[in-house]
Amino acid sequence: MILTIVKYPEPILEQPSEPVTEFNAELRKLVADMFETTYASQGIGLAAPQVGVSKRITVVDLSMGKDPKQKLVLINPEITFSEGKQYEEEGCLSFPDIREKVVRAAKIRIRAQDESGKWFEMDGEELLARAFQHEIDHLDGIVFIYRMSALKRSLNLRKIRKMQNDGKW
Ligand code: NI
């Protein structure tokens, strides 16, 4: 089922999410729906607060549904190591048509639980590291405009207000 993606400035996007404690059929259904919603929007990742669920769940798939091996489910994820810097353009499904360069760590290691509650570790670099950091930020209530410079943030907020006024947001 394709879920509705909430757009900035919905308050849920700026609230820290609750840890997942039950690994049940309801969770697996939500994860499946989150993948379907990501693919329908041609995204590479989605966090539960973006579909109105304030829980620490994210899905990432850099192949956008083309390679099942790249489907990643991160539940209660934590960054355990980060190194270096990258500065690349980023977008967010809760900010349609906004793309901006954002500074992120170049390499990170995460620790997360899978759909059955099993903990695993994973390393990511380049785009994968960027996706992990962007999605984990969502779980902490941080949207990517707050990773931009103050100037870029105000320019983009102005652009959003204009789109809202024009009924395009
Ligand atoms: Ni996002």
Side-chain angles (χ1 to χ4, degrees), residues 17 35 58 68 126 133 143 162:
S17 299
F35 274 116
T58 86
E126 298 178 354
Q133 290 167 87
V143 286
K162 184 170 188 318

Side-chain angles (χ1 to χ4, degrees), residues 58-127:
T58 86
V59 300
V60 171
D61 181 353
L62 299 188
S63 81
M64 297 203 286
K66 291 185 189 77
D67 176 6
K69 290 196 293 290
Q70 295 194 46
K71 284 178 80 166
L72 300 170
V73 179
L74 313 182
I75 297 170
N76 300 326
E78 298 159 18
I79 295 173
T80 58
F81 170 82
S82 67
E83 186 180 71
K85 261 186 194 167
Q86 54 170 321
Y87 183 55
E88 297 294 335
E89 207 174 69
E90 220 166 276
C92 178
L93 295 176
S94 294
F95 290 79
D97 299 325
I98 303 288
R99 295 197 65 83
E100 198 63 75
K101 280 191 161 189
V102 176
V103 178
R104 299 284 186 187
K107 288 185 182 178
I108 66 164
R109 177 167 297 152
I110 56 139
R111 179 176 177 267
Q113 282 169 286
D114 67 14
E115 283 168 288
S116 61
K118 194 169 159 252
W119 286 96
F120 64 95
E121 270 197 327
M122 195 170 172
D123 292 328
E125 49 187 278
E126 298 178 354
L127 182 59

Side-chain angles (χ1 to χ4, degrees), residues 50 91-94 134-135 138:
Q50 292 182 277
C92 178
L93 295 176
S94 294
H134 179 112
E135 301 310 334
H138 272 301

Side-chain angles (χ1 to χ4, degrees):
M1 190 172 83
I2 296 173
L3 306 169
T4 303
I5 296 177
V6 301
K7 278 184 254 179
Y8 181 83
E10 280 291 326
I12 194 169
L13 292 173
E14 296 183 76
Q15 288 161 8
S17 299
E18 293 293 319
V20 173
T21 53
E22 287 192 64
F23 295 81
N24 52 21
E26 193 188 336
L27 174 68
R28 287 189 291 278
K29 165 79 172 126
L30 175 62
V31 165
D33 288 346
M34 285 174 64
F35 274 116
E36 202 181 331
T37 305
T38 307
Y39 300 148
S41 315
Q42 306 198 324
I44 59 167
L46 190 67
Q50 292 182 277
V51 292
V53 179
S54 197
K55 289 200 175 155
R56 299 188 69 82
I57 305 163
T58 86
V59 300
V60 171
D61 181 353
L62 299 188
S63 81
M64 297 203 286
K66 291 185 189 77
D67 176 6
K69 290 196 293 290
Q70 295 194 46
K71 284 178 80 166
L72 300 170
V73 179
L74 313 182
I75 297 170
N76 300 326
E78 298 159 18
I79 295 173
T80 58
F81 170 82
S82 67
E83 186 180 71
K85 261 186 194 167
Q86 54 170 321
Y87 183 55
E88 297 294 335
E89 207 174 69
E90 220 166 276
C92 178
L93 295 176
S94 294
F95 290 79
D97 299 325
I98 303 288
R99 295 197 65 83
E100 198 63 75
K101 280 191 161 189
V102 176
V103 178
R104 299 284 186 187
K107 288 185 182 178
I108 66 164
R109 177 167 297 152
I110 56 139
R111 179 176 177 267
Q113 282 169 286
D114 67 14
E115 283 168 288
S116 61
K118 194 169 159 252
W119 286 96
F120 64 95
E121 270 197 327
M122 195 170 172
D123 292 328
E125 49 187 278
E126 298 178 354
L127 182 59
L128 188 59
R130 169 173 299 281
F132 284 163
Q133 290 167 87
H134 179 112
E135 301 310 334
I136 293 172
D137 263 358
H138 272 301
L139 305 183
D140 294 328
I142 300 166
V143 286
F144 86 132
I145 51 164
Y146 293 106
R147 296 293 188 192
M148 295 174 192
S149 66
L151 175 66
K152 296 270 180 66
R153 178 163 59 247
S154 68
L155 288 171
N156 280 296
L157 286 171
R158 201 182 305 163
K159 195 173 161 188
I160 291 166
R161 269 194 299 275
K162 184 170 188 318
M163 284 193 275
Q164 285 172 323
N165 290 339
D166 295 345
K168 290 177 184 157
W169 186 263

